[in-house]
Amino acid sequence: MENVKGNEGEAVDGQVQQSSQVTKSNGEENHRDSGGTTNGGTEEVDAGGQGTTESGLVSNLARMSTAAESLRYAGSHKKRGHCVIFNHRYFDRVTGLGERNGTDRDRDQVKVLFSHLEFDVKVHDNLTVKEIQENLQDLAFGTDHSECDMLVVIFMSHGEQDVLWGRDAHFKPDILFESFQADQCKSLAGKPKIFFIQACRGEGLDSGVNLVRTRHIDEIDSGRLAYKIPTTADFLICWSTVPGHYSWRNTTNGSWFMQSLVQVLSKEAAHEDLLSMMTSVNRHMILNFESNTPSQQHMHGKKQSASIVSTLMRKVYLAPKY
């Protein structure tokens, strides 16, 4: 995909042309009655067939790393964990994708950040889809995470709706996550698996809405009488943008999302939990960044909101281990 940028160096991590190869859901609905009951009622699932179960003799047992009622994930393992960074700046000509200027600065800054947070950091640059899959498989099935608190994966590249790009082709985002499910990667079962993804998710632009104090009853302890937020605001795979929208990157300073992530975690990791920090990351990006491309008015003055999707059941802390 080609970068869209103005003279002032703003770019987006998305494609100008929609890919015709995006795989869509087949639209089938399954429905099934479960035999279990709770408080006299029958358990049902909102699907239409009989469901499927993985075959084979794979054990469903995994070592408990945190007490069931604990409010925070265990941080007492010998190591914090692995942090793997996939950074894509260059792409094969056949893809039609432009160079992602500024991404190497993102790579270097998050490498320093997560090294400081006591992760074992490994960086991969400009991998093909096959190489990405091989490295993920090795991380899930060829690496023992038993003495680790958690896993972090950072992926930076071009993207579209439901598609991410390697150096040579695109792939479905699920490839990043599926090998780390509890029944697949047993040494990470019950532990946080955290993903940060810097990529476009469509071609939508967010013009934002101005919030203005109109009555004294609306008093807010802030020095600002007006400020601008995205229309998607106020609504942990941590996506740099919401579905269907561009993700902005400055060709000199790096992406808005990664700049904000580094800024917030560097200051707050010693005392705050990760999900709360991601709210602060979103706030920092919303209030401090706006596209500056006056030569391309349709791209000028745009905003961006991150999308934080969480299935966490406890708080994640990154305070110093020792």
Side-chain angles (χ1 to χ4, degrees):
M1 101 144 268
E2 297 180 356
N3 286 337
V4 181
K5 64 181 180 180
N7 295 336
E8 293 71 25
E10 301 290 358
V12 291
D13 287 329
Q15 274 203 298
V16 174
Q17 298 296 326
Q18 290 287 345
S19 170
S20 61
Q21 302 179 40
V22 178
T23 302
K24 302 294 185 181
S25 170
N26 60 17
E28 288 186 356
E29 289 186 359
N30 294 328
H31 186 284
R32 158 180 175 267
D33 289 335
S34 171
T37 59
T38 302
N39 295 329
T42 300
E43 299 288 354
E44 296 184 346
V45 294
D46 292 325
Q50 296 304 308
T52 60
T53 302
E54 294 295 333
S55 60
L57 300 176
V58 179
S59 170
N60 284 324
L61 297 178
R63 176 177 174 268
M64 182 188 298
S65 61
T66 306
E69 301 304 321
S70 176
L71 298 181
R72 57 196 294 171
Y73 288 100
S76 56
H77 299 88
K78 292 180 179 180
K79 300 178 180 180
R80 177 80 75 196
H82 296 278
C83 172
V84 181
I85 302 171
F86 295 94
N87 176 56
H88 293 83
R89 177 177 178 177
Y90 302 109
F91 299 84
D92 293 348
R93 179 174 296 182
V94 67
T95 66
L97 301 176
E99 179 181 347
R100 297 181 61 252
N101 292 306
T103 191
D104 287 352
R105 181 176 174 85
D106 284 344
R107 174 201 62 198
D108 295 343
Q109 291 199 333
V110 293
K111 180 181 178 181
V112 171
L113 171 66
F114 283 93
S115 295
H116 179 72
L117 294 174
E118 302 175 274
F119 284 88
D120 295 325
V121 180
K122 187 172 185 179
V123 175
H124 300 289
D125 287 309
N126 308 313
L127 298 188
T128 64
V129 172
K130 181 179 180 181
E131 290 170 336
I132 293 169
Q133 292 177 301
E134 289 173 348
N135 278 277
L136 290 170
Q137 292 288 303
D138 181 65
L139 187 61
F141 306 121
T143 305
D144 185 4
H145 303 269
S146 298
E147 296 301 328
C148 298
D149 293 339
M150 64 190 75
L151 170 71
V152 168
V153 175
I154 301 172
F155 188 88
M156 299 179 287
S157 186
H158 285 302
E160 305 165 59
Q161 186 140 4
D162 301 322
V163 164
L164 294 172
W165 282 87
R167 192 188 73 213
D168 62 335
H170 62 69
F171 63 93
K172 298 175 68 174
D174 285 353
I175 287 177
L176 292 180
F177 323 125
E178 56 192 9
S179 294
F180 301 100
Q181 295 182 39
D183 62 338
Q184 298 293 312
C185 184
K186 296 297 182 66
S187 60
L188 278 174
K191 300 177 182 179
K193 293 160 279 283
I194 302 159
F195 295 81
F196 300 99
I197 303 171
Q198 167 59 42
C200 279
R201 304 181 73 185
E203 297 183 5
L205 293 167
D206 194 329
S207 298
V209 170
N210 287 301
L211 302 184
V212 182
R213 187 187 307 171
T214 58
R215 298 180 298 171
H216 291 297
I217 196 172
D218 294 331
E219 288 185 5
I220 301 173
D221 292 331
S222 171
R224 304 186 186 205
L225 295 179
Y227 62 93
K228 194 174 184 180
I229 66 169
T231 56
T232 50
D234 299 325
F235 288 127
L236 160 312
I237 300 168
C238 305
W239 296 87
S240 61
T241 190
V242 296
H245 283 69
Y246 279 126
S247 185
W248 290 90
R249 168 176 37 82
N250 184 276
T251 55
T252 300
N253 298 323
S255 64
W256 299 359
F257 180 61
M258 289 299 170
Q259 288 184 67
S260 301
L261 182 72
V262 171
Q263 176 81 8
V264 172
L265 268 62
S266 295
K267 292 182 177 181
E268 300 184 7
H271 60 271
E272 192 60 272
D273 74 278
L274 183 57
L275 191 52
S276 297
M277 285 191 286
M278 292 313 300
T279 300
S280 297
V281 168
N282 202 27
R283 181 174 66 251
H284 183 278
M285 184 168 65
I286 287 170
L287 297 181
N288 290 282
F289 292 94
E290 183 173 310
S291 64
N292 181 30
T293 59
S295 62
Q296 293 177 287
Q297 278 297 308
H298 70 292
M299 305 290 282
H300 185 61
K302 305 307 180 184
K303 304 290 287 182
Q304 180 178 325
S305 174
S307 176
I308 313 302
V309 183
S310 173
T311 59
L312 295 176
M313 59 182 291
R314 316 179 202 281
K315 294 183 178 182
V316 179
Y317 287 91
L318 299 172
K321 293 181 68 64
Y322 304 106

